[in-house]
Amino acid sequence: MSDGYNDNNMMKRRTFLTGLGLGGLAFSGPSLARGDGHHHARTKQRHLPHGHEHAPAAAPPSDAPALSTLSDTTRQQITQLVSIAPHKSRQERIMLISQFMKGTPYLAQPLIGSANTAEELILSWRGVNCMTFVEIILAASQSFNVEQFIHALIATRYSHHHVSFTERRHFLSDWLHGSPVLCRDLSPKFSYAQRVEKTLNLKLSSSNNPDNGHEKTQDRYVPGIPLKKRLITYLPTRPLLDDLQTGAVRKIVKTGDVIGIYSPLAGLDVFHIGLAIWHGRTLLFRNASSLPEHRYVVDTPLDHYLQERRGAIIYRPR
C-alpha cells in the first residue's frame, strides 16, 4: 500500500515535530511532570465565539494536572492543534486537525502504564499509534484551549475521567461503554452486518502437551485487565467493498467517522483503527500506519486496505 494523498503539510508537520525534540509531558499526579524541551510559546486562552454550537460542556472533575505544571513546549503543541478551524463544525475540525497531523511518526507504545507500572497521563504526540492518534483528534476537535483539550483527552482515553491503567479504554468497543460514551455504532445500519459474541482480552494459544497433544491455553492480550463478554457488530469485507464501489457507503459514512479493522480473533474486536475521510468519491482510511513503508500517519484508500482483511467496524463520535 502507498499513500497517494500526501502533501506539503507532511513536511511541515515533520519539521514541527523535529523542533519539539523531547517536548511533551507525562503526569502520574496533578503536579508531577516529566522533563521536556526548551520552546517558550505562551498559551493564549481562546474565547469561544458567542453562540458557537460546538462548545463543549463544562469539564467534570478529573485527574487533569494544574495548567501551571505544563511546559511551554506542551502548551505550544496543544495550542497549535486546538487553534485549527475553531469556527468549523466538529466533523470539519476532525478532517482538518487530522490533516495537520499527517506525517506524525508511528510509535508502537506511546503511553506509560501497565498492571505493574503506574499509569501516567501523556500529553505529547512526538509519535502516535493508531489508538492515540484518533484519541488526540477526537479530543482536539471539541476543544478550543489547553484546559479543554486536557479534560477532553482524559475523557476520551479513560472511562470515568480517571487516569488509571484499569480505566483506560484498551479496546475500540470500549468507546460504546463506560462514562462518557464516546461514539455510536453505525455498523447495524448496513443490512449485511454480522454480530459476533467475543470475550475481549482472551488470548488463546496452542501449547504442546505430552498427554493431550495440542491444548488451548488461556492468556490475556493486556495483562491486568479483566475479560469482557461483548457483542461486536462488523461489516464483512466483500459486501462492504461492493458498497464502496457503488457509492452506497456514502449515504451512511461521513468524514470524521471512526473505522476499526475487524479482527477474527476471539479476544479482540479490531486490530487497527483510523478515521474516515472522503476525498472526492474515494473513502480514505487516515491512520497511524505501522507498515514498514510508512511508519507515520497516512491516507490509504479504504478499499485497498480492506482487500486482505475480514471486515470493518464504523463508529460516529458523539
Side-chain angles (χ1 to χ4, degrees), residues 181-248:
V181 173
L182 303 178
C183 298
R184 61 187 177 95
D185 192 354
L186 298 183
S187 304
K189 291 181 174 291
F190 294 79
S191 61
Y192 48 83
Q194 301 290 312
R195 304 181 80 188
V196 179
E197 185 175 68
K198 295 193 173 225
T199 303
L200 296 186
N201 207 27
L202 175 62
K203 185 177 184 180
L204 297 176
S205 59
S206 295
S207 61
N208 290 319
N209 185 299
D211 298 321
N212 301 320
H214 288 284
E215 181 182 79
K216 290 288 188 181
T217 59
Q218 293 188 4
D219 201 351
R220 300 197 180 186
Y221 287 101
V222 187
I225 299 300
L227 303 180
K228 303 177 182 181
K229 288 282 188 182
R230 189 163 288 168
L231 197 60
I232 304 299
T233 304
Y234 77 98
L235 308 176
T237 295
R238 179 47 52 194
L240 178 56
L241 288 176
D242 291 343
D243 270 3
L244 283 168
Q245 187 173 16
T246 63

Side-chain angles (χ1 to χ4, degrees), residues 242-279:
D242 291 343
D243 270 3
L244 283 168
Q245 187 173 16
T246 63
V249 167
R250 189 145 200 168
K251 298 177 182 178
I252 300 175
V253 179
K254 307 298 183 185
T255 286
D257 288 343
V258 177
I259 299 175
I261 306 302
Y262 175 74
S263 171
L265 297 175
L268 296 177
D269 48 11
V270 302
F271 68 83
H272 193 45
I273 76 168
L275 295 168
I277 304 291
W278 282 102
H279 182 84

Side-chain angles (χ1 to χ4, degrees), residues 140-177:
S141 66
Q142 55 184 329
S143 303
F144 303 93
N145 58 46
V146 174
E147 183 177 19
Q148 288 175 353
F149 173 82
I150 294 172
H151 282 283
L153 184 63
I154 291 173
T156 303
R157 184 171 293 162
Y158 303 97
S159 188
H160 305 105
H161 309 274
H162 180 46
V163 178
S164 163
F165 180 72
T166 56
E167 294 285 5
R168 193 198 300 175
R169 302 179 198 254
H170 296 275
F171 301 92
L172 177 59
S173 57
D174 288 342
W175 292 8
L176 303 179
H177 303 272

Side-chain angles (χ1 to χ4, degrees), residues 295-313:
R295 304 286 298 179
Y296 51 81
V297 175
V298 299
D299 284 346
T300 304
L302 182 62
D303 56 353
H304 293 182
Y305 195 91
L306 286 175
Q307 289 297 329
E308 298 181 4
R309 275 77 181 189
R310 295 285 291 274
I313 292 171

Side-chain angles (χ1 to χ4, degrees), residues 8 13 51 96 101 110 133 145 151 158-159 265 285:
N8 291 334
R13 182 67 190 144
L96 294 170
M101 288 194 69
F133 166 62
N145 58 46
H151 282 283
Y158 303 97
S159 188
L265 297 175
F285 181 50

